[in-house]
């Protein structure tokens, strides 16, 4: 795939120059490039499920419970559809165009059923056709489980091992939507990974880091570093867009605010420490860094977070996902030679809202 991509990029670059390459292809003042079908809901089933636990997110940190995941009945009802999706995706896969694989948690899984996921929006905003694979899974961590050296659960480290042929696919069984896409590409052909994990590690009170034993993947930054190394091993030609956890606000069970990630902490540190720890890993493998906690790329802060986040304070709204995707798409377009601009002004969610959301 890589040789084909190298031949493709100059042609695409010339074409983009004809229409004006200096313009940001993720147009911040125009939503015509977004996926906005007339019947697209502003929320979908996956959002409603995650939003129902809004008042219990902070207490989850204390009790080491993860963010809510799809229940068994939902998984059963989607199994058949996922099988059909796998067949359709396999048919549509084209090894001659770039392949972009999303690895992450709730933020990437949200909106999947309504075609309003971050992966869907990135695909719509790229300056070229691409194979976009979404392996995002709700409720999962970057870290491996505590108390075992042989964890076989769903997490970033094990997915990266799976891509190297070191794990079987059983941990995908509870995530049929992701599983339907996990076998339609060859890791050696991947051009871009987009990685985002961390909110569940923080809420499950996983240790932030172990500087003495770097192989300790029960700690967040160690798991991120290990997973990145495994991705490089599986896909040596791929570029990695490493996204920090998104800016969040935390609430008690009674709905009272416990503060933003700037102040709210678990046993091992503030939420912002986990976000910063992720960003710091970007230099390990020359990753493209997207600090989604800070406001350099998205205009998200104490004053604007309610527009970006659902009522639970931790899951992106539809418009928030669209804005996040615009940043990622810009980064990938730049790597493909389709956009020579820099992100000098943070992307504003108002530019990605539907009329019904304004």
């Amino acid at each position: 795939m890589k040789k084909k991509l190298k031949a493709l990029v100059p042609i695409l670059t010339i074409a983009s120059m004809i229409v004006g390459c200096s313009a940001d292809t993720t147009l911040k003042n125009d939503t015509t490039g977004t996926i906005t079908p007339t019947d697209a809901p502003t929320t979908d089933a996956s959002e409603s499920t995650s939003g129902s636990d809004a008042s219990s997110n902070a207490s989850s940190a204390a009790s080491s419970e993860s963010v809510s995941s799809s229940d068994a009945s939902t998984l059963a009802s989607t199994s058949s559809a996922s099988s059909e999706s796998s067949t359709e995706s396999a048919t549509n896969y084209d090894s001659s165009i770039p392949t972009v694989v999303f690895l992450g948690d709730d933020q990437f899984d949200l909106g999947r059923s309504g075609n309003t996921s971050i992966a869907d929006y990135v695909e719509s905003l790229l300056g070229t056709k691409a194979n976009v694979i979404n392996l995002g899974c709700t409720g999962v961590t970057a870290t491996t489980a505590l108390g075992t050296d042989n964890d076989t659960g769903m997490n970033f480290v094990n997915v990266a091992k799976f891509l190297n042929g070191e794990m079987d696919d059983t941990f995908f069984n509870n995530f049929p939507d992701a599983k339907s896409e996990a076998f339609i590409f060859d890791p050696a052909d991947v051009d871009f990974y987009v990685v985002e994990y961390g909110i569940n590690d923080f809420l499950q009170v996983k240790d932030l880091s172990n500087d003495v034993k770097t192989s300790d993947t029960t700690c967040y930054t160690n798991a991120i570093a290990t997973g990145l190394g495994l991705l490089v091993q599986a896909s040596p030609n791929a570029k990695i867009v490493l996204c920090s956890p998104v800016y969040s606000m935390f609430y008690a069970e009674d709905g009272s605010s416990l503060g933003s990630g700037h102040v709210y902490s678990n046993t091992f540190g503030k939420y912002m420490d986990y976000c910063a720890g992720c960003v710091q890993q970007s230099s390990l493998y020359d990753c493209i860094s997207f600090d989604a906690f800070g406001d350099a790329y998205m205009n998200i802060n104490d004053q604007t977070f309610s527009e970006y986040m659902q009522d639970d304070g931790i899951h992106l709204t539809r418009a928030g996902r669209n804005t996040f995707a615009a940043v990622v798409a810009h980064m990938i377009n730049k790597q493909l030679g389709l956009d020579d601009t820099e992100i000098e002004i943070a992307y504003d969610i108002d530019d990605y809202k539907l009329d019904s959301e304004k």
Side-chain angles (χ1 to χ4, degrees):
M1 165 61 214
K2 222 41 180 174
K3 293 182 180 178
K4 294 176 183 176
L5 179 60
K6 288 179 180 178
L8 178 67
V9 169
I11 297 173
L12 293 172
T13 303
I14 293 171
S16 64
M17 289 175 65
I18 294 174
V19 298
C21 182
S22 60
D24 188 340
T25 58
T26 54
L27 297 177
K28 290 186 243 182
N29 296 315
D30 184 2
T31 56
T32 56
T34 64
I35 299 175
T36 54
T38 55
D39 59 347
T42 54
T43 59
D44 55 38
S46 58
E47 287 184 275
S48 299
T49 300
S50 59
S52 66
D53 294 328
S55 63
S56 64
N57 289 321
S59 61
S60 295
S63 62
S64 300
E65 296 178 357
S66 68
V67 178
S68 61
S69 59
S70 301
D71 58 32
S73 60
T74 302
L75 293 173
S77 65
T78 57
S79 177
S80 176
S82 297
S83 177
E84 294 176 5
S85 174
S86 177
T87 302
E88 180 180 355
S89 297
T91 302
N92 294 336
Y93 186 83
D94 183 351
S95 62
S96 70
I97 60 178
T99 296
V100 183
V101 179
F102 286 77
L103 304 176
D105 53 29
D106 311 55
Q107 306 296 10
F108 287 173
D109 195 30
L110 279 170
R112 186 195 291 270
S113 63
N115 297 323
T116 63
S117 71
I118 287 172
D120 287 315
Y121 285 126
V122 168
E123 183 172 12
S124 75
L125 292 166
L126 290 178
T128 183
K129 291 183 178 180
N131 303 299
V132 176
I133 312 296
N134 186 2
L135 302 187
C137 299
T138 293
V140 303
T141 61
T143 52
T144 54
L146 292 166
T148 177
D149 293 327
N150 189 33
D151 175 37
T152 57
M154 170 60 80
N155 54 63
F156 178 37
V157 173
N158 284 348
V159 171
K161 287 182 177 179
F162 165 78
L163 293 173
N164 277 280
E166 299 175 15
M167 295 279 292
D168 63 31
D169 64 342
T170 54
F171 54 71
F172 274 112
N173 289 344
N174 290 330
F175 306 94
D177 291 326
K179 186 173 184 176
S180 71
E181 300 188 46
F183 300 93
I184 63 176
F185 68 98
D186 183 344
D189 287 340
V190 174
D191 298 285
F192 296 96
Y193 284 107
V194 185
V195 177
E196 185 278 330
Y197 295 89
I199 183 65
N200 295 305
D201 300 273
F202 175 76
L203 292 177
Q204 290 186 25
V205 197
K206 294 296 189 72
D207 200 344
L208 177 57
S209 64
N210 185 339
D211 296 331
V212 176
K213 184 180 179 182
T214 58
S215 62
D216 182 4
T217 56
T218 66
C219 299
Y220 176 63
T221 58
N222 299 58
I224 291 292
T226 299
L228 293 176
L230 288 166
L231 291 187
V232 171
Q233 182 177 306
S235 311
N237 295 317
K239 292 291 293 184
I240 302 172
V241 179
L242 180 60
C243 313
S244 79
V246 181
Y247 182 100
S248 295
M249 188 70 68
F250 298 90
Y251 298 94
E253 289 187 2
D254 62 4
S256 60
S257 176
L258 298 172
S260 72
H262 287 287
V263 296
Y264 188 65
S265 64
N266 64 17
T267 306
F268 301 105
K270 297 176 182 178
Y271 177 67
M272 66 178 294
D273 297 331
Y274 284 69
C275 299
C278 178
V279 171
Q280 290 170 2
Q281 306 310 306
S282 297
S283 61
L284 290 179
Y285 298 99
D286 193 29
C287 297
I288 304 162
S289 179
F290 176 8
D291 181 358
F293 180 84
D295 58 6
Y297 295 110
M298 295 191 298
N299 184 30
I300 186 169
N301 50 52
D302 284 353
Q303 287 70 48
T304 64
F305 81 91
S306 61
E307 298 181 76
Y308 281 88
M309 313 307 289
Q310 296 179 36
D311 290 343
D312 60 10
I314 62 176
H315 292 98
L316 285 164
T317 60
R318 188 218 63 82
R321 297 196 296 274
N322 203 159
T323 312
F324 187 108
V327 176
V328 173
H330 178 280
M331 292 174 169
I332 294 176
N333 280 327
K334 191 173 180 65
Q335 291 294 314
L336 289 172
L338 301 175
D339 191 331
D340 61 1
T341 65
E342 301 292 337
I343 300 178
E344 298 178 349
I345 300 176
Y347 283 35
D348 195 311
I349 193 170
D350 286 339
D351 297 324
Y352 297 95
K353 290 180 179 178
L354 305 178
D355 289 340
S356 61
E357 298 169 331
K358 295 179 180 177

